[in-house]
Amino acid sequence: MRKNAHPDIRKLRREAGEPALHGNKFWKSSCLMMDYLQRTPLEKGARVLDIGCGWGLGGIFCAKRFGARVTGLDADPSVFPFVHYHAGLNRVSVDTWRCRYEKVSRADLAGFDAVIGTDICFWDKLENPLYNLTRRALQAGVQRVVLADPGRPPFRSLAERAEDKLGATYEEREIRRPMKASGCLMIAEQ
Protein backbone atom coordinates (compact mmCIF):
# COMPACT_ATOMS: atom_id res chain seq x y z
CA MET A 1 0.00 0.00 0.00
CA ARG A 2 1.10 3.52 -0.64
CA LYS A 3 0.65 6.44 1.71
CA ASN A 4 -0.77 9.82 0.74
CA ALA A 5 2.68 11.40 0.36
CA HIS A 6 3.83 8.87 -2.27
CA PRO A 7 4.33 10.52 -5.69
CA ASP A 8 2.00 8.03 -7.42
CA ILE A 9 -0.79 8.82 -4.95
CA ARG A 10 -0.30 12.56 -5.36
CA LYS A 11 -0.50 12.09 -9.14
CA LEU A 12 -3.70 10.02 -8.81
CA ARG A 13 -5.22 12.76 -6.63
CA ARG A 14 -4.52 15.33 -9.32
CA GLU A 15 -6.00 13.10 -12.03
CA ALA A 16 -8.96 11.54 -10.19
CA GLY A 17 -9.81 14.34 -7.80
CA GLU A 18 -10.29 14.23 -4.07
CA PRO A 19 -12.74 11.56 -2.88
CA ALA A 20 -15.90 13.13 -1.47
CA LEU A 21 -17.05 10.48 1.04
CA HIS A 22 -13.93 9.93 3.16
CA GLY A 23 -12.33 7.41 0.79
CA ASN A 24 -9.10 9.37 0.92
CA LYS A 25 -6.68 6.91 2.56
CA PHE A 26 -6.36 3.50 4.14
CA TRP A 27 -8.09 3.31 7.50
CA LYS A 28 -6.67 1.38 10.46
CA SER A 29 -9.81 -0.76 10.69
CA SER A 30 -8.64 -2.43 7.48
CA CYS A 31 -5.84 -3.94 9.55
CA LEU A 32 -8.39 -5.27 12.07
CA MET A 33 -10.25 -6.87 9.16
CA MET A 34 -7.09 -8.45 7.75
CA ASP A 35 -6.12 -9.81 11.17
CA TYR A 36 -9.60 -11.32 11.60
CA LEU A 37 -9.51 -12.88 8.11
CA GLN A 38 -6.06 -14.37 8.70
CA ARG A 39 -7.41 -16.08 11.80
CA THR A 40 -10.78 -17.01 10.24
CA PRO A 41 -10.00 -17.41 6.53
CA LEU A 42 -12.39 -17.27 3.63
CA GLU A 43 -12.66 -20.23 1.28
CA LYS A 44 -10.29 -20.10 -1.68
CA GLY A 45 -11.95 -18.34 -4.61
CA ALA A 46 -14.73 -16.83 -2.48
CA ARG A 47 -16.82 -14.09 -4.07
CA VAL A 48 -16.36 -11.01 -1.87
CA LEU A 49 -18.20 -7.70 -1.85
CA ASP A 50 -16.13 -4.96 -0.17
CA ILE A 51 -18.75 -2.32 0.71
CA GLY A 52 -17.67 1.28 1.11
CA CYS A 53 -14.36 0.05 -0.25
CA GLY A 54 -12.52 3.36 -0.37
CA TRP A 55 -9.03 2.45 -1.53
CA GLY A 56 -9.95 -1.24 -1.29
CA LEU A 57 -7.35 -2.65 1.11
CA GLY A 58 -9.71 -5.27 2.60
CA GLY A 59 -10.81 -6.55 -0.79
CA ILE A 60 -7.27 -6.52 -2.18
CA PHE A 61 -6.16 -8.58 0.82
CA CYS A 62 -8.92 -11.11 0.10
CA ALA A 63 -7.94 -11.33 -3.58
CA LYS A 64 -4.27 -11.79 -2.77
CA ARG A 65 -4.54 -14.08 0.24
CA PHE A 66 -7.52 -16.26 -0.77
CA GLY A 67 -7.72 -15.85 -4.54
CA ALA A 68 -11.09 -14.22 -3.94
CA ARG A 69 -13.10 -12.66 -6.74
CA VAL A 70 -13.62 -9.19 -5.30
CA THR A 71 -15.99 -6.38 -6.12
CA GLY A 72 -15.32 -3.05 -4.43
CA LEU A 73 -18.53 -1.07 -3.92
CA ASP A 74 -18.46 2.65 -3.18
CA ALA A 75 -20.83 5.56 -3.73
CA ASP A 76 -17.87 7.74 -4.75
CA PRO A 77 -16.31 6.68 -8.07
CA SER A 78 -13.27 8.87 -7.48
CA VAL A 79 -11.89 6.15 -5.18
CA PHE A 80 -11.75 3.54 -7.94
CA PRO A 81 -8.45 4.71 -9.51
CA PHE A 82 -6.88 4.18 -6.06
CA VAL A 83 -8.41 0.69 -5.82
CA HIS A 84 -7.08 -0.29 -9.25
CA TYR A 85 -3.66 1.22 -8.55
CA HIS A 86 -3.25 -0.72 -5.28
CA ALA A 87 -4.68 -3.90 -6.79
CA GLY A 88 -2.06 -3.63 -9.55
CA LEU A 89 0.71 -3.17 -6.98
CA ASN A 90 -0.45 -6.42 -5.39
CA ARG A 91 -0.87 -8.22 -8.74
CA VAL A 92 -4.59 -8.87 -8.28
CA SER A 93 -7.70 -7.48 -9.87
CA VAL A 94 -10.75 -5.98 -8.24
CA ASP A 95 -13.99 -5.14 -10.02
CA THR A 96 -15.64 -1.90 -8.96
CA TRP A 97 -19.29 -0.96 -8.59
CA ARG A 98 -20.64 2.52 -7.94
CA CYS A 99 -23.62 2.11 -5.65
CA ARG A 100 -25.04 3.19 -2.29
CA TYR A 101 -25.69 0.61 0.46
CA GLU A 102 -29.46 0.99 0.35
CA LYS A 103 -29.53 0.26 -3.40
CA VAL A 104 -27.85 -3.17 -3.12
CA SER A 105 -30.65 -5.70 -3.55
CA ARG A 106 -31.03 -9.19 -2.18
CA ALA A 107 -30.59 -10.47 -5.75
CA ASP A 108 -27.30 -8.54 -6.03
CA LEU A 109 -26.08 -9.99 -2.74
CA ALA A 110 -26.91 -13.56 -3.80
CA GLY A 111 -23.85 -13.38 -6.05
CA PHE A 112 -21.45 -13.17 -3.09
CA ASP A 113 -20.13 -15.54 -0.43
CA ALA A 114 -18.88 -12.80 1.91
CA VAL A 115 -19.45 -9.10 2.50
CA ILE A 116 -16.78 -7.04 4.23
CA GLY A 117 -16.56 -3.37 5.16
CA THR A 118 -14.20 -1.21 7.20
CA ASP A 119 -14.75 2.23 8.70
CA ILE A 120 -18.11 2.64 6.97
CA CYS A 121 -20.51 3.42 9.83
CA PHE A 122 -19.28 6.87 10.81
CA TRP A 123 -22.60 8.77 10.77
CA ASP A 124 -25.81 7.93 12.64
CA LYS A 125 -27.72 7.91 9.34
CA LEU A 126 -25.58 4.98 8.09
CA GLU A 127 -26.71 2.56 10.81
CA ASN A 128 -30.07 1.64 9.23
CA PRO A 129 -28.78 1.13 5.66
CA LEU A 130 -25.93 -1.07 6.94
CA TYR A 131 -28.21 -3.07 9.24
CA ASN A 132 -30.65 -3.61 6.36
CA LEU A 133 -27.82 -4.57 3.99
CA THR A 134 -26.56 -7.12 6.53
CA ARG A 135 -30.07 -8.56 6.92
CA ARG A 136 -30.57 -8.75 3.13
CA ALA A 137 -27.16 -10.39 2.72
CA LEU A 138 -28.02 -13.15 5.19
CA GLN A 139 -31.42 -13.63 3.55
CA ALA A 140 -29.67 -13.90 0.17
CA GLY A 141 -27.42 -16.70 1.42
CA VAL A 142 -24.21 -14.74 1.98
CA GLN A 143 -22.19 -16.92 4.35
CA ARG A 144 -20.48 -14.14 6.29
CA VAL A 145 -20.76 -10.38 6.77
CA VAL A 146 -17.85 -8.77 8.63
CA LEU A 147 -17.69 -5.07 9.43
CA ALA A 148 -14.83 -3.37 11.29
CA ASP A 149 -14.71 0.05 12.92
CA PRO A 150 -12.60 1.90 15.49
CA GLY A 151 -15.63 1.85 17.78
CA ARG A 152 -17.69 4.91 16.92
CA PRO A 153 -21.15 5.14 18.55
CA PRO A 154 -23.10 4.56 15.28
CA PHE A 155 -21.13 1.36 14.64
CA ARG A 156 -21.59 0.12 18.20
CA SER A 157 -25.32 0.71 17.87
CA LEU A 158 -25.36 -1.18 14.55
CA ALA A 159 -23.37 -4.09 15.98
CA GLU A 160 -25.55 -4.36 19.10
CA ARG A 161 -28.68 -4.32 16.96
CA ALA A 162 -27.29 -7.00 14.63
CA GLU A 163 -26.25 -9.08 17.64
CA ASP A 164 -29.75 -8.83 19.11
CA LYS A 165 -31.82 -9.30 15.95
CA LEU A 166 -29.58 -11.22 13.53
CA GLY A 167 -27.50 -13.37 15.88
CA ALA A 168 -24.32 -11.50 14.93
CA THR A 169 -21.20 -11.51 17.08
CA TYR A 170 -19.84 -8.20 18.33
CA GLU A 171 -16.26 -8.18 19.58
CA GLU A 172 -13.47 -5.82 20.55
CA ARG A 173 -10.11 -6.32 18.86
CA GLU A 174 -6.62 -4.87 19.22
CA ILE A 175 -3.60 -5.55 17.04
CA ARG A 176 0.00 -4.35 16.88
CA ARG A 177 0.94 -5.38 13.31
CA PRO A 178 1.08 -4.26 10.56
CA MET A 179 0.18 -1.15 12.57
CA LYS A 180 -1.26 -0.55 16.00
CA ALA A 181 -5.07 -0.50 15.79
CA SER A 182 -8.03 -1.16 18.02
CA GLY A 183 -11.74 -1.28 17.47
CA CYS A 184 -14.72 -3.53 17.00
CA LEU A 185 -15.90 -6.23 14.65
CA MET A 186 -19.44 -7.23 13.80
CA ILE A 187 -19.61 -10.75 12.38
CA ALA A 188 -22.90 -12.12 11.04
CA GLU A 189 -22.82 -15.68 9.69
CA GLN A 190 -25.16 -18.32 8.33
Side-chain angles (χ1 to χ4, degrees):
M1 74 178 176
R2 299 279 192 241
K3 296 191 178 191
N4 278 318
H6 191 277
D8 290 350
I9 299 303
R10 291 197 322 259
K11 180 181 178 196
L12 275 174
R13 281 190 190 289
R14 286 190 302 273
E15 293 171 356
E18 193 67 33
L21 297 173
H22 304 293
N24 59 346
K25 64 180 181 178
F26 286 119
W27 298 93
K28 287 184 178 183
S29 293
S30 297
C31 296
L32 297 175
M33 178 69 70
M34 291 186 297
D35 181 71
Y36 166 79
L37 290 171
Q38 285 188 82
R39 296 170 193 271
T40 313
L42 298 173
E43 290 186 24
K44 293 284 181 193
R47 299 163 301 160
V48 176
L49 179 62
D50 183 359
I51 59 174
C53 67
W55 286 11
L57 182 59
I60 291 166
F61 174 82
C62 292
K64 189 169 184 168
R65 175 76 190 230
F66 309 113
R69 292 173 285 158
V70 177
T71 300
L73 177 144
D74 207 290
D76 183 358
S78 66
V79 301
F80 297 148
F82 298 92
V83 172
H84 294 300
Y85 171 83
H86 286 100
L89 276 180
N90 286 279
R91 298 187 182 121
V92 298
S93 66
V94 173
D95 293 328
T96 53
W97 176 20
R98 181 184 185 184
C99 190
R100 299 183 70 83
Y101 308 139
E102 58 272 17
K103 302 286 184 185
V104 180
S105 71
R106 190 180 305 167
D108 294 327
L109 291 161
F112 296 97
D113 303 305
V115 173
I116 64 169
T118 56
D119 271 291
I120 58 173
C121 193
F122 43 86
W123 293 324
D124 291 340
K125 68 181 183 179
L126 294 172
E127 179 191 341
N128 280 335
L130 287 166
Y131 172 82
N132 290 331
L133 185 141
T134 301
R135 182 178 41 78
R136 285 193 309 275
L138 295 173
Q139 291 169 344
V142 172
Q143 294 300 305
R144 189 175 354 168
V145 177
V146 184
L147 304 180
D149 189 85
R152 296 177 191 96
F155 181 82
R156 289 183 183 280
S157 180
L158 164 66
E160 289 167 2
R161 184 175 172 195
E163 186 177 49
D164 183 50
K165 297 188 182 288
L166 302 175
T169 303
Y170 172 40
E171 63 184 59
E172 303 283 331
R173 186 170 287 258
E174 185 173 325
I175 61 168
R176 299 207 180 275
R177 297 183 71 204
M179 66 178 58
K180 188 175 179 182
S182 62
C184 311
L185 294 175
M186 183 206 78
I187 303 141
E189 298 180 279
Q190 292 288 346

